Amino acid sequence: VSKSPKAMLASMQCYNIVHLTMKRAHEFVAVIAKPPEGLGLNLSCHPHSSALVVRAVHAVGATASWNAKVGENRQIKTNDYIVSVNREFGDSTTLLDAMHKSELLEMIIARPAEVPHTGPHSV
């Protein structure tokens, strides 16, 4: 089971033996100049979250330009997490405020690790 706490809990309740595999998220720094029209991202913001979730990257915009210049492991993608903006950490509201305050954004991006599905009870 991957990415779904509810599915993970349901799976743990069904089986006597549970194998857990944990992997550290891939983190990288993205430095993007924010133009007046914005970054070209759709973000999800939850008040009790310590990150902003990238819901979509527009085909045109500052983020698309960044992605075209860097290797694939440093491209900003859907479901990535923005965990810091200009060295500020905190809840998602703090991160959004930091984004609005500056024209140059230094963001720490975390990408959840892919966990292979193996074994007869993988969901």
Side-chain angles (χ1 to χ4, degrees):
V1 178
S2 171
K3 298 182 183 176
S4 170
K6 288 181 182 179
M8 187 181 298
L9 182 59
S11 179
M12 289 171 39
Q13 291 171 341
C14 290
Y15 302 107
N16 293 330
I17 298 173
V18 177
H19 298 276
L20 295 176
T21 302
M22 298 173 69
K23 290 190 172 190
R24 185 177 303 274
H26 166 65
E27 288 190 355
F28 60 95
V29 175
V31 180
I32 301 177
K34 183 179 72 179
E37 61 273 11
L39 290 173
L41 291 173
N42 289 353
L43 300 173
S44 177
C45 174
H46 299 283
H48 300 292
S49 175
S50 60
L52 297 167
V53 180
V54 177
R55 291 296 173 208
V57 178
H58 301 185
V60 177
T63 303
S65 295
W66 164 267
N67 285 348
K69 296 176 191 173
V70 299
E72 187 172 345
N73 66 335
R74 293 186 61 218
Q75 291 178 356
I76 299 171
K77 299 179 180 182
T78 299
N79 295 322
D80 282 352
Y81 293 85
I82 300 172
V83 297
S84 172
V85 177
N86 294 342
R87 299 186 179 155
E88 289 193 44
F89 293 84
D91 62 22
S92 57
T93 304
T94 300
L95 298 175
L96 277 177
D97 289 345
M99 286 182 144
H100 289 114
K101 287 181 197 173
S102 181
E103 299 303 316
L104 184 65
L105 304 177
E106 179 182 301
M107 301 176 288
I108 297 178
I109 311 293
R111 178 168 302 135
E114 291 296 322
V115 178
H117 296 280
T118 59
H121 302 297
S122 294
V123 177

